[in-house]
Amino acid sequence: MDAYLWPLTTVIDDSGRLMIGGCDVVKLAHRYGTPLYLFDEATIRNACRNWRTALAAHYQGETAVHYASKALLNMALARLIADEGLGLDVVSGGELYVALRAGFPPQRIHMHGNAKTRTELEQALAAGIGQIIVDNLDELELLANLTAHRSSLQAVALRVAPDIATDTHAHIQTGHATSKFGLPLDALDAAAERLRIAPGLRLVGLHAHLGSQLFDVNPYTAEIDVLLDSAMLLRERHGLMIQEINAGGGMGIPYTADQHPLDFHTCAARLGEALTDGCRRRGFPLLRLVIEPGRSIIARAGVALYTIVATKVLPHTRFLHIDGGMGDNIRPALYGARYTAVLAERANAPVEEIVEIAGRYCESGDMLIRAIPLPRARVGDVLAVPVAGAYTLSMASTYNLTPRPAVVMVNDRSARLVQRRETYEDMVARDGGAS
Ligand SMILES: Cc1ncc(COP(=O)(O)O)c(C=O)c1O
């Protein structure tokens, strides 16, 4: 078992059983049912602290870490992130609603999105959130109008498309010039002109996000240069001075043993250097440095548990049919994401066969893991899939009208249910004919 793929508190006990947060994983699967998503509180807190301390250690100016809540959000997690002193990025009225319901301080919330609706912008303004990150000129126009007669100023940042290529799956690249996200660089003048006559808005920063699952730091330093050049343009042509550079998220996380983590210290150091040098060269004071990791905070903390419900034998392989799949984790079907797994009751037993882990949903593409070596698995065994915390539940669906899984947080030998399993009743609750 590759330790760096599992939550920090993971151990295999003397009888070969997987233990996380001091809890017996198989017992949790039996108590709460499967599929079950298990989160290790210590791993989440550790990741938050790592990013905060690394950034502060490597940059003399002010720093802030915002958790990108699209990776996963529920009320318990929002509270934990607030408690760790991070800010929160939301991309929808729904994420904002959950954050506010959990008591997340509005001033530490940033709102993203390439298609924010009027209602969502009004919701953000009413809540008094810290920053709205404007994605396009239409949004800027709408926001300028919505804030024209307000007594307080709304802080905004401009998201630009920096035209930087990254080595990641096309579905999760966002920094290229033809991306749907962000203002093209040549639209900055128009944005600055509009901001000049927007009495309710105060420009505080520039933002870019290159993509997700990035293991190379060089694109980030190139990005900082582009953002600082844009800041120069705003200062020199429009007299606008910003205070903040937001480099986005995307820091890569290993999912399988052939990948290795992007070292957060190296990443923070290179970002810090690039911003320090870049500010100095352009005659700027040290601007505030913000990053927005999502996956690198939550992915490793999460383990998905499934029960093997049936098998199918073919001449050269076996299918293990599990009780979850693309409904709770769309990533393999969506962009070929790869995972590993162990049998939770025999976590270090020797490999005996290569099998295919098939999801339960009615799509041939619903294959959770292809060609995985495992000990001989039996119906009823619990399969544990690590690095399952990010972009799984947050993208979950009720396809085939299958209820979404329960979520349990483990810490210090105790487990608490932070989100109950969806019920059939939940599924008809919205139907007009339900009563
Ligand atoms: C604007 C923005 N910030 C941050 C993130 C988080 O990226 P990751 O979870 O890969 O760190 C994303 C992900 O899509 C994003 O679009």
Side-chain angles (χ1 to χ4, degrees), residues 109-193:
I109 300 179
H110 288 181
M111 184 179 243
H112 275 290
N114 63 310
K116 303 178 192 79
T117 64
R118 171 188 281 264
T119 310
E120 287 173 322
L121 288 172
E122 285 171 343
Q123 194 183 341
L125 291 170
I129 70 166
Q131 206 176 99
I132 297 177
I133 302 185
V134 174
D135 196 273
N136 54 66
L137 293 176
D138 290 321
E139 179 189 339
L140 182 56
E141 183 62 34
L142 177 57
L143 197 53
N145 291 330
L146 289 175
T147 52
H149 303 293
R150 282 164 54 101
S151 53
S152 58
L153 289 176
Q154 174 62 52
V156 294
L158 295 175
R159 175 171 180 168
V160 300
D163 195 13
I164 292 172
T166 47
D167 182 19
T168 192
H169 193 286
H171 286 16
I172 48 176
Q173 286 177 15
T174 51
H176 49 298
T178 53
S179 163
K180 72 173 182 176
F181 297 105
L183 288 161
L185 291 171
D186 60 11
L188 269 177
D189 285 313
E193 284 302 319

Side-chain angles (χ1 to χ4, degrees), residues 66 68 70-71 89 91 112 159 172 174 181 207-209 211-214 220 246 248-252 292-297 390-391:
H66 278 241
K70 73 197 72 176
D89 282 355
V91 292
H112 275 290
R159 175 171 180 168
I172 48 176
T174 51
F181 297 105
H207 170 279
H209 173 73
S212 207
Q213 268 305 67
L214 307 181
Y220 286 106
N246 185 330
M251 297 76 178
E292 304 170 333
R295 191 188 308 269
S296 56
I297 286 186
Y391 303 103

Side-chain angles (χ1 to χ4, degrees), residues 355-400:
V355 293
E356 308 276 313
I357 310 291
R360 60 157 299 150
Y361 295 86
C362 294
E363 289 280 320
S364 285
D366 180 26
M367 295 297 300
L368 190 68
I369 311 178
R370 295 250 173 209
I372 174 172
L374 280 182
R376 185 81 185 166
R378 298 179 288 257
V379 167
D381 279 345
V382 174
L383 188 80
V385 177
V387 210
Y391 303 103
T392 48
L393 291 177
S394 62
M395 290 184 164
S397 75
T398 53
Y399 179 46
N400 294 160

Side-chain angles (χ1 to χ4, degrees), residues 6 18 20 25 34-39 301-306 328-329 339-342 368 382-389 392-393 405:
W6 293 85
L18 192 62
I20 299 177
V25 162
T34 54
L36 180 68
Y37 275 71
L38 212 64
F39 284 86
V303 174
L305 304 178
Y306 304 97
D328 58 272
N329 185 353
Y339 285 89
T340 184
V342 300
L368 190 68
V382 174
L383 188 80
V385 177
V387 210
T392 48
L393 291 177

